[in-house]
């Protein structure tokens, strides 16, 4: 068994341990469910409103978009934050010092974060199914569509999180990532059909994974008749797979390069400097 295989197996084991710890931590589970919980409450209050041109509840129509928002937030910002914190406390430096340690480290992080993203989708989906009418969660085809959109969406957004974690040097600087994500949430059809926005906003939304993950989840969880509220009055599965696949390929090509450069810059002095800065932060 070669060294890389050993590192991958160690990473899988590490990922399982981290996922088990996160899945049994009330704080981690609350962090994964907080934003969708708030959004569910807001949309429940708006459940009497309807999607333009239909009699379908706007609150129910927004559920897949809320889940898509959670996928992106947990896949990008949470992974970036984990990488940044591990750089500060020296975990990344220790991984670098171990033969093929970075391979095992990244495999573990991808597994643990992917598991938490799946939980962040399933946990809000259970109360949503009870509170909102019209969600199609009983059909096998719905779960199959949900599975491939979630899998492809993860491959599309996790490399972005890894790149952000490698580029930004502190947790505070990650605010520069959160702000544009929330801007995309506003224009990507999370809370209101994107077809109601100006065409130039529709074009910006369609350039990023959030819109396509939301569209794919809507196709899985909403009646086919709701496709009338989408761009082109279609669920556009081929386009969804194509755009998310393009982001995945680009991310998988760029992320390893950025991570290798970041790892080369790691040293004992850089870790000590970050710790000093962290100790000086206001509590």
């Amino acid at each position: 068994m070669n060294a890389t295989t050993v590192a991958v197996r160690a990473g899988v084991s590490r990922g399982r341990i981290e996922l088990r710890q996160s899945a049994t931590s009330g704080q981690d589970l609350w962090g994964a469910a907080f934003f969708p919980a708030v959004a569910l409450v807001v949309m429940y209050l708006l459940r009497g409103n309807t999607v333009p041109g239909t009699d379908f509840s706007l609150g129910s129509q927004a559920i897949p978009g809320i889940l898509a928002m959670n996928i992106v937030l947990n896949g990008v910002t949470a992974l970036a934050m984990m990488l940044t914190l591990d750089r500060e406390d020296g975990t990344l430096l220790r991984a670098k010092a171990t033969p093929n340690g970075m391979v095992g480290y990244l495999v573990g992080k991808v597994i643990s974060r992917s598991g938490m993203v799946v939980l962040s989708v399933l946990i809000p989906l259970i109360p949503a199914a009870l509170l909102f009418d019209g969600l199609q969660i009983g059909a096998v085809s719905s779960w199959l569509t949900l599975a491939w959109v979630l899998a492809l969406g993860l491959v599309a957004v996790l490399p972005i999180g890894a790149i952000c974690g490698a580029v930004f040097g502190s947790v505070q600087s990650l605010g520069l990532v959160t702000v544009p994500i929330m801007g995309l949430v506003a224009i990507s059809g999370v809370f209101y059909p994107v077809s109601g926005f100006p065409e130039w906003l529709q074009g910006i939304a369609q350039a990023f994974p959030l819109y396509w993950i939301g569209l794919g989840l809507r196709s899985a969880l909403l009646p086919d008749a709701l496709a009338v509220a989408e761009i082109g009055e279609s669920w556009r599965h081929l386009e969804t797979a194509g755009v998310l696949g393009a982001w995945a390929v680009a991310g998988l090509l760029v992320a390893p390069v950025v991570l290798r450069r970041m790892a080369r810059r790691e040293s004992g002095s850089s870790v000590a400097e970050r710790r000093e800065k962290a100790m000086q932060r206001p509590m």
Side-chain angles (χ1 to χ4, degrees):
M1 189 179 298
N2 61 43
T4 302
T5 303
V6 172
V8 170
R9 293 183 63 178
V12 171
S13 178
R14 176 185 180 136
R16 285 167 160 170
I17 294 171
E18 290 185 354
L19 177 58
R20 184 167 60 248
Q21 291 174 338
S22 296
T24 55
S25 167
Q27 182 178 353
D28 288 349
L29 290 175
W30 175 243
F34 175 73
F35 281 110
V38 172
L40 286 178
V41 171
V42 172
M43 298 318 297
Y44 184 74
L45 296 175
L46 297 176
R47 65 191 183 281
N49 297 344
T50 58
V51 178
T54 75
D55 58 359
F56 195 82
S57 168
L58 184 63
S60 299
Q61 192 270 347
I63 299 303
I66 292 170
L67 299 179
M69 174 188 70
N70 217 28
I71 291 171
V72 173
L73 286 174
N74 281 282
V76 176
T77 58
L79 179 57
M81 185 175 295
M82 292 170 69
L83 286 172
T84 302
L85 291 173
D86 284 349
R87 290 170 69 187
E88 287 187 351
D89 66 13
T91 300
L92 208 59
L93 181 61
R94 291 191 292 273
K96 175 189 173 184
T98 305
N100 289 302
M102 284 298 297
V103 174
Y105 171 84
L106 290 172
V107 169
K109 290 301 180 188
V110 167
I111 290 175
S112 63
R113 187 41 41 191
S114 296
M116 286 305 295
V117 170
V118 172
L119 287 177
S120 75
V121 171
L122 296 179
I123 291 174
L125 186 57
I126 295 172
L130 298 174
L131 294 173
F132 296 89
D133 296 326
L135 297 180
Q136 310 292 304
I137 63 172
V140 174
S141 59
S142 296
W143 287 99
L144 290 175
T145 302
L146 180 68
W148 74 257
V149 172
L150 179 56
L152 194 53
L154 279 171
V155 181
V157 301
L158 285 174
I160 301 173
I163 292 169
C164 292
V167 170
F168 292 95
S170 68
V171 175
Q172 285 77 7
S173 62
L174 287 176
L176 297 174
V177 177
T178 305
V179 171
I181 288 178
M182 299 313 294
L184 288 175
V185 167
I187 67 171
S188 294
V190 171
F191 299 108
Y192 191 83
V194 71
S195 57
F197 297 145
E199 289 189 4
W200 64 273
L201 274 181
Q202 295 179 23
I204 294 174
Q206 292 178 84
F208 294 94
L210 176 57
Y211 166 77
W212 296 100
I213 296 173
L215 178 64
L217 294 184
R218 286 193 291 276
S219 74
L221 299 175
L222 299 180
D224 289 339
L226 264 292
V228 69
E230 302 294 340
I231 297 173
E233 300 185 357
S234 168
W235 295 128
R236 298 194 292 170
H237 282 159
L238 287 178
E239 291 91 335
T240 299
V243 175
L244 291 179
W247 272 93
V249 171
L252 292 173
L253 289 175
V254 175
V257 176
V258 177
L259 288 168
R260 280 196 297 267
R261 290 181 178 177
M262 178 267 294
R264 283 197 297 267
R265 294 195 300 268
E266 289 300 300
S267 64
S269 60
S270 63
V271 171
E273 182 180 352
R274 290 194 199 98
R275 285 179 177 173
E276 183 67 25
K277 290 181 179 179
M279 292 176 65
Q280 294 174 358
R281 289 174 192 158
M283 299 298 291

